[in-house]
Amino acid sequence: MKSEDTPFEGGPMDGRVLPVLLGITGHPPKTYRIPVPDPTGGPPTVLVYRRVPRGPGRVGLTNRWKYEYAPEGAPARRLTWPWSKPHATPPGKRDDADG
């Protein structure tokens, strides 16, 4: 399996560079979850990092990636089927009925 040294920004992992396994397309996963064990033996805390472009890549080459800390966690995902009705209001937008 191929891996790439990927920098992490923000949160407890700020400034660290970890080797992240690449997928079939050659990109790292969109979200990276790091379980941190609880010192008292409770459930582990999960740190969530989101993949973002590192910056402009060289001409003709693919863009490199970095991970930014997401304190709110991973965004909620829902399956969308071709026959599913769309949401009445897209996430993050106000509805006209809200005033």
Side-chain angles (χ1 to χ4, degrees):
M1 302 259 343
K2 204 171 178 187
S3 67
E4 179 179 299
D5 290 337
T6 308
F8 286 76
E9 290 185 356
M13 300 291 290
D14 190 27
R16 295 192 186 187
V17 177
L18 297 176
V20 176
L21 291 176
L22 303 178
I24 295 172
T25 60
H27 298 288
K30 290 183 180 179
T31 57
Y32 195 80
R33 292 172 180 82
I34 303 171
V36 179
D38 188 281
T40 61
T45 303
V46 178
L47 303 175
V48 178
Y49 285 83
R50 241 183 269 132
R51 181 184 77 184
V52 295
R54 194 184 301 185
R58 291 185 281 177
V59 177
L61 296 177
T62 58
N63 202 354
R64 311 287 306 266
W65 302 98
K66 65 181 177 182
Y67 283 104
E68 284 185 352
Y69 182 60
E72 69 278 357
R77 292 178 39 173
R78 127 188 163 149
L79 287 175
T80 54
W81 301 98
W83 55 85
S84 297
K85 292 182 182 178
H87 284 307
T89 304
K93 303 248 181 182
R94 288 179 30 151
D95 191 6
D96 291 336
D98 292 336

